[in-house]
Each structure stands twice: as C-alpha cells, then as structure tokens.
Amino acid sequence: MEPQLDPMKDDLPLMANTSHMLVKHYVLDLDVDFKSQVIEGFIVLFLETGSRYRRASSTGEEGCQSQFDETCKIRASEQGHVPVSNASACSSKMEYNDFAVCGKGEKDTSDKNGNHSNEEQASGISSSKNCCDIENHGNEDFLLVLDCCDLSVLKVEEVDVAAVSGIEKFTRSAKLTDVSKELANLRNQIVHELVTLPSDRWKEQLYYYTCCSQAPGCGELLFATGTWSLEIRKSGIRTPADFPHAIRIQYKTKPEGRSVTWTTDQSGRPCVYTMGSPINNRALFPCQEPPIALSTWQASVRTAASFVVLMSGENSAEPVQLQEGIMSWYYYVTMPMPASTFTIAVGCWQEVKQSFTPAVQTNNEFSLPCSQADFRWHEESCGHVEYPCRFQSPAARLQRVIPYRVFAPWCLMKCCEEHLLQLIPQCLSAAYTTLGTHPFSRLDVLIVPSNFSSLGMASPHIIFLSQSVLPGGRHLCGTRLCHEIAHAWFGLAIGARDWTEEWISEGFATFLEDVFWARAQQLSHDEEKAQQELKALLRWRRLRDEVQNSEEELQVLRPNKESTGEVSESGASIVKHGLKAEKIFMQVHYLKGYFLLRSLARRIGGASYLASLRKFVNKFHGQLVLSQDFLSMLLEDVPEQKESGLTVESIFTNWLDSSGIPKLLPDQLVLLLEYLLEEKTLCPRTLQGLEKTYQLRDQDAEVRHRWCELVVKHKYVPAYGDVEKFLREDQAMGVYLYGELMVNEDAKQQELAYKCFAAAREQMDVSSAKVVAEMLF
C-alpha cells in the first residue's frame, strides 16, 4: 500500500521495487502538443531481474532454452497476434557481427555499493520452481512497481521482441517442453542478451532497441495507478524471472503535471521544459527513480516545425521532417544514469552563433593538461558497469574543450553572444585542467524562461541557465557556468547513492566553481587566494543566517546517519524532506558541504587535495557513492591526517550528522575572525550569534584576541568584560588592544583602557608598561 504523504510537506517516496527488477533501457516515442499542453505517446522498458532476486534464485534450476525456429512456427498459430506496420522497418540489412554466446550460467556481479556490471554471461533465465516468491506470498501475482505521478496511463502490454527480423542471433538452441513458457522465456532471453551486449557494440544495441520497441504487442498487462506509482502485473506470473522483460506503456501527461512546466519564453513564444521538480521525472514518464536504477535511453520527439527540441543526449540531433509542419528529433544516451537526470526543453530557441574567432582553443583543438602524472589513473580499468566510457578513449582524454552550442530566445541572442559564448570554452578548459577528462562528449547551454526558480541546472549534455546571469558583466555568468560544469563530474558522472546526501553534488560543485573560475580568469596565486577568501566570507555569512533561521533537521547533511543508503526489501525508499517546499531554496547543503571541503583542503594542502579529487573522479566515475567513499579514499592518501585525529567518524560527527555550523579548529576560527575584522560594520545580533555559536570566551588566547578586536572595533558593549579579562589575564598578547581602545576616541573604551592599565600596571614588565603608557598618555 502506498504511503499517504502530503505532497507539500513530507518525504518523497521512491516506490519502484528495484531489488526485484531493474529498467536497463528506455525507448520514448512522444508527441508534444502545445495547444493541449500534453506530451503523449509510448515508452518501452527493457528490464532485467534485480540483484536481490538473482541472489535468491542462484540455486534454482537452470532455465529451459528454446529453439528460435521452432518457436517461430508456434507463434504463427497464436491468437491475437497482430503485427504492427512499422515492425518490418527494422530489417537486418545492417551488417553486424553475431552476438557472442556463452553457455555459462548467470552469476550475481553486484558490488558492495549495489552497482551491477555487465559481466553476466548469456544464459537462460533461472527457473522459479525452487525459488520463493520475493515480492508476494501465496499465489499472488508478481507486481512491477514504477514511480509515476500526474500521468494518464492508457495501456500496458508485453512486447513481442521475438518478432523482430534478425533477432535469432539472440537465442540458443534447446528442446521445447512447455510451449507457452518457452515462448515467454525466449523473449526474456532476447532482452537479457540485448541489455548485456559489450559496450563496443553500442550502435548495434541501439539499433535493436529501436526494432524491439516497434515490435507488435503480445498481450495486454493488468495495471493500476496510485498517487505515486504505477503497478503492473501479468496474470499467473509470480516471479520477476517470469515477468515480461520488455513492456510498452501508452500514456499522456497532464497540463498540471509537476515534472515539466508549460510557459512562454522571454520573446513571448510557448515552450515546455523540465525545471528540476522535487518529484523529478515521474510526471513525464513512468520510470524507476531510485538512483540505483541506472539506465540508458533513447527518445524520438515530434512537434511543430517551428520548435527546437533539446534533450539529454550524446548526439546533436538534426530534425527530420515527417510530414508538412511536423519535425522529429532523436537523441540517445549510452552511459547508464538515473532516470531523474533525463532533461528535455522544447521551444522556439535560436542557436547563438559566434561572429568572431575566440582567442581560446576551439572545439577541435586538443592539448595536454599541466601534468600528465595527474592523469595516469586513466590507464587503469574503470570500476563502473560497462558502457562506452570517455575515460578509456585516448582522444577524449586529450580534449580540453568539448563541442558546445548555446540556445536562447530571440531577444537574448545578442547578450549571449557578447558574454556567454566567450566564457564557455574558458570554463570548460579550466575544468579540464583541474579534473581531466570531460565525462560527456558535448554540451548545450540553454537560457530558460524567466520563471525558472534557480540560476542554473546541470543535466547530461545540457545546462539550463537563468537570464539573471547575463547582465552586469562576466562574474555571475562565469561563476554559475563553472558551478554547473562541475556537476558533470560531481552529481552526474559521480552520483549520490542516497539522495539525502545532496552535499556530494552541491558541496563539490560550490568548491570547484571557485577553482574553475580562478583558472578561467588566469589569476595569479595571490589574486586567486584573495578572491576565494572573499567568497568564503560571503558564504559563511549566508550559512550563518540560514542556520539561525531554519529548522535544525534541515541543516543535517546526512539525515539518515547510519541508515544512509539503505532501502527496503523491495528496493523502495524515501527521500527525507524531499517535498518540503522551503528545502528547495535552502543553501545549507551547498555551503556546509563547501566549508567541509575547504577545511579539508586547508589541512591537506591545495595541490595534494586537487590531486586526490582527480584520483577520486577516475576511480568512481560512472558509479554511485556515499560520503564515506570519498572520505575514506582521501584519508588513505594522507595517513598523517589520521594520526592527527581526523577520521571519517569525526567528520560525520562534526559536519554531516549534526545541525548548525560545525565546530572549527582554532586556526580556522582565527581566520574566520580575521575575515570579519575586514568588515566595516557588524550588527550586535551578529556578534552575539558569533560568540554563542563558537563559544568564543572558552577558546584559546589567539581566538579570544581576535574576538576582543571585533568587540572593540564594533563597540559591542555587552562583551567589554571579555576585553577587560583578556587585558588582565593575557598580558603577553594584550598590549596592542590598548591602542585599539584609544584610537576609536570613544569615551567608554578609553575609560576601559585606563581602568585595565591601572589595575595591571604594577604587575606588568617594564617594557610593556612603558609602551602602553605611551599609547594612553
């Protein structure tokens, strides 16, 4: 039964039972209608049994294998077999090598993080005869649960992938025993062979995905929709292994659906786009939203000829005219990613062209990074599921600036050409110099409508930017662009296994935006340091204000603590506070995560820290991680920090598992107070909060000295007693405070100086007493 949650207040449910079945690939075939504000069409899901079921059934009997030719004869006599007109369009005219077929049985190759490799050898599906039903009990049918919201589901059917011409290469010979069961097993075997193809055959894989998605249906499936899910079952099927592995869903979105927004651009023309909704893409298409459900996708989108379709895709799609006034756009992705990262934007966008040759390297130029030694990890094998990985491509490893395009409404084209176009290659180059290989092969940048609620949003191969970053010079545009580019590594190529750990994405992007932007501007070391210290001060003030004015439970970066990353038996889970409206606008996971990374960088040293980031990227790209994956690797690289007391557990306690601003080290407090001493004015409330948050009266003399300087500078009378105590008890460090008390020409402060000197003069050494006397008299 679905949890009854308030969509405006509570946690976000992830309903999909990913432990039982995983979607490996989506094929979307959609029409966008601006008059009705509806997207409708079909989505085909290619599935595999989940890791938990594979473990449970590994001791079961080996599944029967059917002979393709004999099965085809039996299919001809099936009732209700209606071929679709376009099924014949995918004939086997293209020349491909036959699939490698091995007789070894399946094995579970999921690693400790739940990632699944493509090392399973082709085989028949294990029989469920000796397996317990892991989803239901008794004689109940197995349910496939998908995340779904605000959709009208019209029909669900099994796809007869065995009807595709040339598909026999996906099967192996075996005697038929039970005709109906063998035909079902044959279809599932075909899907298994298809989804586990080696990565160097990705073109062939996409071709057969297309063919299979257009195959005829072979029986409707029962389904029910709830507030948060779509439940699908086939009568009499009780295990994931026997459930159809290729299903087609006919559906349409609703105008009020929360995954996309229908609006007008800055030129007054209609458009629709995914705006980063808290419910992600479940109101755009039925899907598996838990991040563990890494999948690939391809999509054909049809709309009126006046519109441009942009999407998360490795190819720069060129429209194809289907009929007068209707164009079709096709995109694909071969890197498995969470369905939540799928992005689409349809509007009357104009591509912004360069009217001059930029001074930086063009898209086709290549250059080596500063130090080849930093990138030697590329030569090692990758740890992710198999896909065509750019980290293994010699050409991609040398590509400093990937191909990019800029799109905007007509009225903003000139502004984009003057500012944005020049910044993109500079920022891409700076990112490459810092982290190495770009995870994605190309980049589109779109200026989205003014109702976009953020300054930017990154998705695979596409970045949305707010129009607010364009005017007023380069700085805001450059820093925001650097932030979103950083997400290509942290947030996309490396994702959080538990969505509550948003800091893994946003904290890293905030930290790296400063590094990228400084390098894009080609600042000197001193200029870079000054710029970053100023940014740190501004961010600290924002973090302090947010901590003082928000719920404590929303300030915790790892709210699930020891349960982080855990899911239910079926794979379903919740995203804690995922639907709280105020959380969407909070910056704590950006800023607190940034200060954690900044503190680690200061302890380890900037160069060593960036080298560790590059190592982390090369080890974990294409995978899902938890906080301890990064922290453990970092501390292994710098064992001296462990010896000094810095541990994963201490970082959890001080930074990730607690609310508020973390307890700082004395040197960090000194630096913070020195930043604040540069401020012209600080209100009494700020000073009061500062003392209370960091318990400054109980810190060491260096910290208390800076605190007293702040008290004197801003004439904070409630803390004059701290100054008096410091001058009396810390005479070795308090001499110059007398001068600061006198220089302000404030009667109360001068009176305090005279009083303290009179009380301490007889105990002071002669030299100190002489210096202070000269200041006072």
Side-chain angles (χ1 to χ4, degrees), residues 381-400:
S381 60
C382 298
H384 51 68
V385 298
E386 190 176 358
Y387 66 84
C389 179
R390 285 175 53 83
F391 286 75
Q392 292 297 319
S393 166
R397 293 204 302 263
L398 298 176
Q399 195 173 19
R400 181 180 290 270

Side-chain angles (χ1 to χ4, degrees), residues 22 569 688:
L22 280 172
E569 186 179 22
Q688 181 184 27

Side-chain angles (χ1 to χ4, degrees), residues 472-490:
R474 293 160 39 97
H475 182 76
L476 181 58
C477 187
T479 55
R480 196 66 208 188
L481 185 59
C482 285
H483 183 99
E484 303 307 333
I485 288 174
H487 278 311
W489 287 268
F490 291 94

Side-chain angles (χ1 to χ4, degrees), residues 421-616:
L421 267 181
Q422 302 172 49
L423 286 172
I424 292 175
Q426 296 170 4
C427 296
L428 287 172
S429 179
Y432 170 82
T433 302
T434 306
L435 294 179
T437 307
H438 290 280
F440 301 102
S441 58
R442 69 177 195 93
L443 176 65
D444 284 340
V445 179
L446 172 66
I447 303 299
V448 287
S450 56
N451 70 336
F452 187 53
S453 60
S454 173
L455 290 179
M457 185 177 77
S459 301
H461 311 98
I462 186 168
I463 287 174
F464 291 169
L465 286 181
S466 166
Q467 64 177 20
S468 300
V469 306
L470 295 176
R474 293 160 39 97
H475 182 76
L476 181 58
C477 187
T479 55
R480 196 66 208 188
L481 185 59
C482 285
H483 183 99
E484 303 307 333
I485 288 174
H487 278 311
W489 287 268
F490 291 94
L492 296 174
I494 299 174
R497 201 171 106 203
D498 188 318
W499 275 347
T500 61
E501 291 199 303
E502 295 170 80
W503 83 272
I504 295 176
S505 174
E506 298 301 351
F508 275 94
T510 305
F511 177 84
L512 287 167
E513 102 181 33
D514 292 355
V515 180
F516 291 0
W517 182 231
R519 293 185 174 185
Q521 297 172 94
Q522 298 182 333
L523 299 182
S524 68
H525 175 74
D526 290 342
E527 290 172 329
E528 177 181 357
K529 182 179 179 182
Q531 185 180 85
Q532 293 181 2
E533 287 181 350
L534 178 60
K535 292 281 283 188
L537 174 60
L538 294 173
R539 286 171 180 147
W540 184 87
R541 297 186 68 175
R542 287 206 303 271
L543 177 60
R544 176 203 62 200
D545 292 342
E546 188 162 289
V547 165
Q548 291 176 350
N549 296 284
S550 63
E551 298 177 38
E552 285 193 2
E553 62 178 4
L554 298 182
Q555 302 168 17
V556 181
L557 300 189
R558 206 174 70 119
N560 293 332
K561 298 183 172 59
E562 292 78 12
S563 300
T564 301
E566 294 182 3
V567 296
S568 68
E569 186 179 22
S570 70
S573 62
I574 63 168
V575 180
K576 199 167 185 179
H577 312 309
L579 293 175
K580 276 187 174 284
E582 60 268 35
K583 185 176 183 296
I584 300 172
F585 301 99
M586 290 186 66
Q587 296 283 301
V588 67
H589 44 283
Y590 293 74
L591 301 177
K592 200 170 172 182
Y594 157 82
F595 278 109
L596 166 57
L597 298 175
R598 179 176 167 85
S599 69
L600 292 173
R602 291 181 64 86
R603 289 189 65 157
I604 295 168
S608 297
Y609 184 70
L610 290 179
S612 292
L613 287 190
R614 290 191 287 270
K615 181 179 177 181
F616 182 74

